[in-house]
Amino acid sequence: MEDQWLSWAKRLSALADTGLHYCRDKFDRERYEEINALSHQMMASLGETPVERVALALGEGHGHVTPKIDVRGAIIDDGKILLVKEKTDGRWTMPGGYAEVGVSAADNTVKEVWEEAGVEVAVDRLYAIRHKARHAYPPDVLDFYKLFFLCERLDDAPLDPGHEVFDAAYFAPDALPPLSEGRVIDRDIVDAFAFHAHPNRPAIVD
């Protein structure tokens, strides 16, 4: 679970940004700007991160603030799951990333799998929607909903890692490599195998 103080600081930041978007009174704007600055300082202190980096990650006001969306595709073949090795930390994750505007969640997942592993897939079904802050991922100044999909391979072509990753390979559930835990944790992979084995289970939704 996310630290409660970090959760409060993120909520303050979102309220301040949303207030800045809607308010028209200059005195209210000054108050929201001060609250925003204080929330950034809180997050920087909690994460031992320069406040400038927090501000850069959050960006400037973009209207009513909502969580970001991360999509991940689980491709299980012959009792193993497809993972890709991230360039940013040298660790492994299910293919995926930020959902892009104008593209559906399923199409985003298909695109990410193709770009990162060179595999053509079709989305079979959603197996989990997770609020990142509720689970054992590392703390993050951004708020995320993480969508996990079971996918089916459409061809038998060899894996072809894209330029965003170092490698792509299949792993057995009892022989997983070090995971890029900001993106995926053991629970995500365990659930992928469970839903693959029992197709009629209802999706997990936080």
Side-chain angles (χ1 to χ4, degrees):
M1 289 287 289
E2 182 175 85
D3 177 84
Q4 183 63 68
W5 285 99
L6 177 59
S7 179
W8 286 335
K10 288 164 63 174
R11 181 65 179 149
L12 280 175
S13 177
L15 289 170
D17 272 341
T18 302
L20 285 168
H21 175 69
Y22 287 111
C23 80
R24 296 294 178 263
D25 183 271
K26 69 175 184 177
F27 298 108
D28 283 342
R29 291 194 65 83
E30 290 175 358
R31 295 183 186 100
Y32 282 127
E33 287 168 355
E34 183 176 357
I35 293 169
N36 206 25
L38 285 170
S39 70
H40 289 187
Q41 292 172 21
M42 291 168 66
M43 284 185 273
S45 177
L46 289 164
E48 298 181 355
T49 303
V51 68
E52 295 81 9
R53 187 175 298 176
V54 172
L56 181 63
L58 294 172
E60 297 300 325
H62 297 291
H64 193 112
V65 178
T66 62
K68 289 189 174 294
I69 304 294
D70 177 72
V71 296
R72 297 284 156 183
I75 300 94
I76 296 174
D77 188 22
D78 196 26
K80 297 182 178 181
I81 190 167
L82 175 62
L83 301 177
V84 295
K85 190 175 185 180
E86 288 285 342
K87 286 186 175 180
T88 54
D89 59 10
R91 292 173 174 262
W92 295 78
T93 180
M94 286 188 281
Y98 284 116
E100 294 186 8
V101 172
V103 185
S104 74
D107 287 346
N108 263 297
T109 306
V110 169
K111 180 178 71 68
E112 290 286 339
V113 173
W114 171 253
E115 291 175 352
E116 295 186 355
V119 174
E120 287 193 46
V121 299
V123 165
D124 184 11
R125 63 191 181 279
L126 176 77
Y127 73 86
I129 301 176
R130 293 203 164 107
H131 185 200
K132 186 176 182 181
R134 291 191 180 189
H135 297 275
Y137 305 96
D140 198 323
V141 298
L142 299 175
D143 205 49
F144 278 93
Y145 290 163
K146 297 178 69 65
L147 279 58
F148 293 91
F149 295 92
L150 285 173
C151 300
E152 181 181 353
R153 284 198 66 165
L154 299 179
D155 62 33
D156 295 321
L159 299 178
D160 182 19
H163 69 277
E164 296 179 356
V165 300
F166 280 131
D167 200 2
Y170 282 92
F171 295 89
D174 59 353
L176 296 176
L179 297 178
S180 181
E181 293 186 335
R183 298 173 175 86
V184 66
I185 55 177
D186 286 337
R187 169 78 182 277
D188 304 323
I189 294 174
V190 168
D191 285 342
F193 279 99
F195 277 79
H196 183 262
H198 302 283
N200 295 325
R201 291 180 61 173
I204 299 167
V205 180
D206 281 344

